[in-house]
Amino acid sequence: MSRGHFYLDKSNAKLAGVCAGIADYTDVDALWIRLGAVMLLLLGFPIVIAIYIAVALIADKRPMSGYSAQEEERLLRRVERRRARKAGVGRSERLHGELSDIDRRVADMEAHYSNSNARLAAEIESLR
């Protein structure tokens, strides 16, 4: 993506994506930008809050075409989690779904390695 225009980076955002956008624009890790903003705030520059809010309201959001496939996937997962929270899906159902997904992945790995490696398959069976 071209560094010619500043955008809010919602895929790496903690609040509004301002620090993540600055990090993307300057090619600096977002952690350092966030730490710098907090340090300025702690050193007695409360104007940082006003600047953050102003930038969050004025700046454009990054267009979806500007995200890489990995960033887009992470952004979509975040949106799905928010929708699930709003729809009333409880934490236990989400955890159950995540554990089911983990179980499925482990079973897939077992199947892959047990089909190609008989010794490993025997070892897995002995552990059951």
Side-chain angles (χ1 to χ4, degrees), residues 91-105:
R91 182 178 176 155
S92 61
E93 287 110 9
R94 281 195 314 257
L95 288 175
H96 179 46
E98 289 174 12
L99 288 175
S100 297
D101 185 49
I102 291 170
D103 286 340
R104 182 191 53 77
R105 288 180 182 185

Side-chain angles (χ1 to χ4, degrees), residues 67-114:
Y67 289 105
S68 68
Q70 182 182 13
E71 289 174 325
E72 189 174 336
E73 181 67 31
R74 184 177 26 195
L75 185 60
L76 291 174
R77 277 196 309 261
R78 184 181 294 165
V79 168
E80 287 174 9
R81 280 193 302 256
R82 286 182 185 158
R83 282 186 187 157
R85 265 187 252 137
K86 287 181 181 178
V89 175
R91 182 178 176 155
S92 61
E93 287 110 9
R94 281 195 314 257
L95 288 175
H96 179 46
E98 289 174 12
L99 288 175
S100 297
D101 185 49
I102 291 170
D103 286 340
R104 182 191 53 77
R105 288 180 182 185
V106 168
D108 289 346
M109 285 182 358
E110 281 182 5
H112 173 74
Y113 284 108
S114 62

